[in-house]
Amino acid sequence: MLVIGIVLNALSTIAFGFLTYVDGRYTFLLLSLLLRTLESLGATGAMVAAFSLTAVSFPESVASTFSALEVCYGMGYIVGPTLGALLFEVGDFPLPFIVMGLITLGTSVLVCILMKQDVPSPNKAKTKVMHLMSVPTVLINSIATVITATAMGYYSATLEPHIRGFGLSSVDVGFVFIISGGTYALIAPVVGYICDTGLNPKKVMIMGSILTIISYSIVGPAPFMPLEKSMVLVII
């Protein structure tokens, strides 16, 4: 599943770069939705497989190990916007998708070569999903995860239009996204270590949710806040 997900994600990303040659608004829209759906399916499959293998391989330090994976996610958030902006300046719309797709495809080859054969396979789940979702703790955690992912996706989609009025170049916009990824990469291992050493994860979730609410309120800023739109607020 890991390799299949990576390959599907890579091929969808490469194909997305060629949409600039598609004529017709509705054809472009339909193909965009289709490719983004396939890309998401591939990324989801790869991430689930990676997290499952990690949990099985390091059962004694799940939080710390997962935080290490999140650091990689944060590093990708740093490199991606910057590299994408530079490639866009050089080769316009198709080049960032083609290059990143080829890099992703290369990782599937590395996984096949470097992945040890003795990695334990996750046990097949004997509990049904609906039964798990009936557990209040699991349900609340699932809802919190969905809300967090939605917030991050909304932020990624709306930040560039929000700061467009400041006259930033594509490279400058990429550097703005680095702030989020850099903070994510720095904080993730700290949070993982704290959770592994005894702090109740519920308290961490509550603090994280409060900080998210505050940050989204000031980045706009929200109408009820007596603040003016500025790059300083966006950076904070």
Side-chain angles (χ1 to χ4, degrees):
M1 178 58 72
L2 179 60
V3 176
I4 294 175
I6 294 174
V7 172
L8 179 59
N9 179 271
L11 295 179
S12 302
T13 301
I14 294 173
F16 197 90
F18 291 97
L19 287 180
T20 187
Y21 302 108
V22 175
D23 295 325
R25 178 188 305 176
Y26 295 107
T27 304
F28 179 87
L29 178 61
L30 290 175
L31 289 176
S32 297
L33 293 175
L34 175 62
L35 290 175
R36 288 294 289 171
T37 300
L38 293 175
E39 183 181 348
S40 299
L41 289 174
T44 302
M47 289 182 64
V48 170
F51 282 134
S52 298
L53 289 173
T54 301
V56 172
S57 301
F58 304 95
E60 302 300 327
S61 56
V62 175
S64 297
T65 308
F66 272 37
S67 66
L69 292 180
E70 296 298 332
V71 169
C72 297
Y73 180 86
M75 294 301 294
Y77 221 114
I78 294 174
V79 176
T82 307
L83 180 59
L86 292 173
L87 292 174
F88 182 84
E89 293 287 340
V90 174
D92 207 18
F93 182 82
L95 189 59
F97 295 98
I98 295 173
V99 172
M100 296 309 300
L102 291 175
I103 292 175
T104 305
L105 197 61
T107 61
S108 66
V109 178
L110 290 177
V111 169
C112 293
I113 296 174
L114 300 178
M115 183 71 75
K116 295 181 179 180
Q117 298 298 322
D118 58 351
V119 173
S121 299
N123 296 325
K124 292 184 178 180
K126 298 180 180 180
T127 305
K128 295 182 179 180
V129 175
M130 294 305 298
H131 178 70
L132 286 175
M133 298 303 292
S134 65
V135 180
T137 302
V138 176
L139 179 61
I140 293 174
N141 287 337
S142 300
I143 294 174
T145 302
V146 171
I147 293 175
T148 302
T150 302
M152 294 179 66
Y154 179 84
Y155 179 80
S156 299
T158 59
L159 180 61
E160 190 277 332
H162 179 66
I163 63 178
R164 191 179 297 164
F166 294 110
L168 303 178
S169 66
S170 299
V171 177
D172 293 332
V173 173
F175 280 116
V176 173
F177 278 92
I178 286 179
I179 299 172
S180 176
T183 305
Y184 192 100
L186 290 174
I187 297 300
V190 177
V191 173
Y193 176 78
I194 291 174
C195 291
D196 266 343
T197 53
L199 182 62
N200 192 332
K202 294 180 182 178
K203 296 181 180 179
V204 178
M205 291 177 61
I206 293 173
M207 289 187 292
S209 299
I210 293 174
L211 290 175
T212 301
I213 293 172
I214 294 174
S215 65
Y216 272 79
S217 297
I218 66 175
V219 73
F224 57 81
M225 301 194 72
L227 299 171
E228 295 292 334
K229 175 182 175 181
S230 68
M231 277 301 300
V232 175
L233 292 179
V234 173
I235 293 173
I236 293 176

